[in-house]
């Protein structure tokens, strides 16, 4: 391929959600509340964790991180989609397309690692309660979080570089609602087999490795819980893990559906990614709030301070 032809495409056109022509206004009013709830819900969790000193523990440190990345993850794709649903331009510049793809995979993969760290935290708390404060001290938590960010920056940089070092010199119509690897590679005018293999392997290794570590952690946790003699003790231990398990199922289902299929279905992939971008980040605050008594109590106190609501019972 001649070098001169490699920079022909300077912008892409996002075709949006397949088979939804004429439904843009309805979709806008359907998706907008999800996005607003995602921002408000995760922001409320973050403010609650920061402002409540009794929530300054490793579990809630990682939950606060998760809230930040959920807001960022949803904001990578949703604002642009909402804008073109109300009739604004579907064009996205080459540079913005690169940025969107990088941050989508950066924030998405960090979320996988955060779930893994949260599983490790539960493992340490339940299996080694007397050594928990030593195993998960504040220094270790910060190192784990920063290490995750750096590792996933490398991961996303590899995927982004492989995708955009390919020449794009033909069609610029992306058959998707945002710039992602499966939608962009068919537009390249060069052999994309290496990019396909690396993206499949890279995403697969990250997600499956995290899932395996989570599985090992919860296997050990289950064994420890079953050894607890009292029913009340077992119930309390299970309740601290249930919210995390629900969130993991919501996160890993879409990843497997979209990225770990050799020949993914485009329509199925689009529907699943809409759920992953809009519904998943919105559900996390609900899951952790409704299933966690400590967060509910702290949130009520915060609301009482902010809007002078009467205190409710802690039951």
């Amino acid at each position: 391929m001649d070098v001169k032809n490699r920079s022909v495409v300077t912008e892409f056109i996002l075709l949006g959600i397949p088979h939804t022509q004429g439904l843009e206004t309805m979709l806008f009013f359907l998706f907008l509340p999800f996005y607003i709830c995602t921002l408000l819900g995760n922001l409320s969790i973050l403010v609650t964790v920061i402002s409540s000193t009794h929530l300054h523990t490793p579990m809630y440190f990682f939950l606060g991180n998760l809230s930040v990345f959920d807001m960022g993850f949803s904001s990578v794709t949703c604002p642009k989609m909402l804008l073109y649903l109300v009739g604004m331009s579907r064009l996205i510049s080459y540079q913005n397309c690169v940025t969107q793809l990088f941050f989508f995979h950066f924030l998405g993969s960090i979320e996988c690692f955060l779930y893994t760290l949260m599983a490790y935290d539960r493992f340490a708390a339940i299996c080694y309660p007397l050594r928990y404060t030593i195993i998960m001290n504040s220094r270790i938590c910060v190192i784990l979080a920063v290490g995750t960010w750096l590792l996933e920056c490398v991961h996303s940089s590899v995927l982004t570089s492989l995708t955009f070092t390919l020449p794009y010199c033909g069609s610029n119509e992306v058959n998707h609602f945002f710039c992602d690897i499966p939608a962009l590679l068919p537009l390249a005018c060069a052999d994309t087999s290496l990019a396909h293999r690396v993206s499949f392997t890279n995403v697969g290794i990250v997600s499956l490795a995290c899932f395996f570590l989570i599985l090992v952690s919860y296997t050990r946790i289950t064994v420890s819980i079953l050894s607890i003699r009292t029913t009340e003790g077992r119930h309390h231990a299970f309740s601290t893990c249930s919210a995390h398990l629900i969130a993991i199922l919501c996160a890993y289902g879409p990843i497997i559906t979209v990225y770990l299929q050799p020949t993914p279905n485009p329509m199925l992939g689009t529907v699943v990614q809409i759920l992953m971008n809009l519904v998943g980040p919105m559900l996390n605050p609900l899951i952790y709030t409704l299933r966690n008594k400590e967060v509910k109590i702290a949130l009520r106190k915060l609301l009482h301070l902010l809007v002078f609501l009467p205190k409710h019972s802690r039951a």
Side-chain angles (χ1 to χ4, degrees):
M1 180 65 63
D2 191 274
V3 176
K4 293 180 180 179
N5 293 329
R6 294 194 177 193
S7 59
V8 171
V9 173
T10 58
E11 59 188 11
F12 294 95
I13 301 171
L14 300 173
L15 298 183
I17 305 166
H19 313 300
T20 58
Q21 287 75 15
L23 302 174
E24 287 83 1
T25 302
M26 184 189 76
L27 291 175
F28 173 80
F29 286 107
L30 176 65
F31 293 156
L32 182 62
F34 280 97
Y35 182 56
I36 292 173
C37 288
T38 294
L39 297 181
L40 293 179
N42 282 288
L43 184 61
S44 66
I45 292 293
L46 179 62
V47 172
T48 301
V49 170
I50 292 173
S51 62
S52 305
T53 53
H54 72 282
L55 296 183
H56 292 178
T57 63
M59 177 180 174
Y60 298 107
F61 170 76
F62 293 125
L63 180 58
N65 274 263
L66 183 64
S67 295
V68 171
F69 289 115
D70 271 339
M71 287 188 286
F73 182 69
S74 191
S75 297
V76 169
T77 58
C78 291
K80 180 64 179 179
M81 178 178 66
L82 291 171
L83 287 174
Y84 66 64
L85 284 175
V86 291
M88 298 187 70
S89 175
R90 292 174 178 264
L91 290 174
I92 182 169
S93 69
Y94 188 94
Q95 291 77 11
N96 286 342
C97 193
V98 173
T99 303
Q100 191 177 60
L101 188 146
F102 173 83
F103 280 104
F104 177 79
H105 285 277
F106 173 64
L107 295 171
S109 53
I110 278 183
E111 193 164 19
C112 288
F113 270 91
L114 281 174
Y115 286 131
T116 308
L117 294 177
M118 291 169 81
Y120 177 70
D121 173 73
R122 294 299 82 207
F123 162 75
I126 292 171
C127 298
Y128 300 99
L130 299 180
R131 296 171 54 198
Y132 175 67
T133 54
I134 299 173
I135 296 172
M136 296 299 293
N137 61 61
S138 57
R139 180 172 173 271
I140 293 295
C141 290
V142 171
I143 290 173
L144 288 172
V146 173
T148 295
W149 303 338
L150 294 176
L151 183 62
E152 293 317 306
C153 184
V154 174
H155 164 78
S156 300
S157 297
V158 169
L159 294 179
T160 306
S161 299
L162 278 173
T163 303
F164 286 100
T165 50
L166 292 167
Y168 292 90
C169 50
S171 172
N172 67 339
E173 294 183 341
V174 179
N175 190 27
H176 204 30
F177 65 96
F178 72 99
C179 292
D180 196 15
I181 298 169
L184 286 168
L185 291 184
L187 305 180
C189 2
D191 181 20
T192 61
S193 57
L194 176 62
H196 272 294
R197 285 196 301 271
V198 173
S199 61
F200 181 84
T201 304
N202 211 342
V203 173
I205 288 173
V206 169
S207 55
L208 291 177
C210 289
F211 187 76
F212 174 75
L213 292 172
I214 290 170
L215 187 63
V216 170
S217 295
Y218 273 99
T219 301
R220 292 288 307 276
I221 287 170
T222 302
V223 172
S224 294
I225 290 175
L226 292 177
S227 67
I228 298 174
R229 295 182 179 181
T230 64
T231 304
E232 184 181 350
R234 287 196 297 270
H235 175 73
H236 176 72
F238 271 121
S239 67
T240 62
C241 302
S242 58
H244 187 222
L245 286 172
I246 295 169
I248 288 168
L249 292 175
C250 292
Y252 279 91
I255 293 171
I256 293 169
T257 303
V258 175
Y259 294 103
L260 300 185
Q261 295 184 67
T263 55
N265 183 310
M267 186 61 192
L268 176 63
T270 300
V271 172
V272 170
Q273 283 193 320
I274 289 173
L275 295 175
M276 187 167 63
N277 281 268
L278 282 169
V279 181
M282 184 198 72
L283 285 179
N284 274 340
L286 294 175
I287 290 169
Y288 283 102
T289 301
L290 295 176
R291 300 289 300 179
N292 193 300
K293 187 176 180 180
E294 289 181 317
V295 175
K296 285 193 286 186
I297 293 171
L299 191 55
R300 285 174 187 168
K301 288 181 178 179
L302 181 64
L303 289 173
H304 175 73
L305 291 173
L306 292 177
V307 294
F308 304 103
L309 290 178
K311 289 184 179 179
H312 299 287
S313 65
R314 296 188 177 186

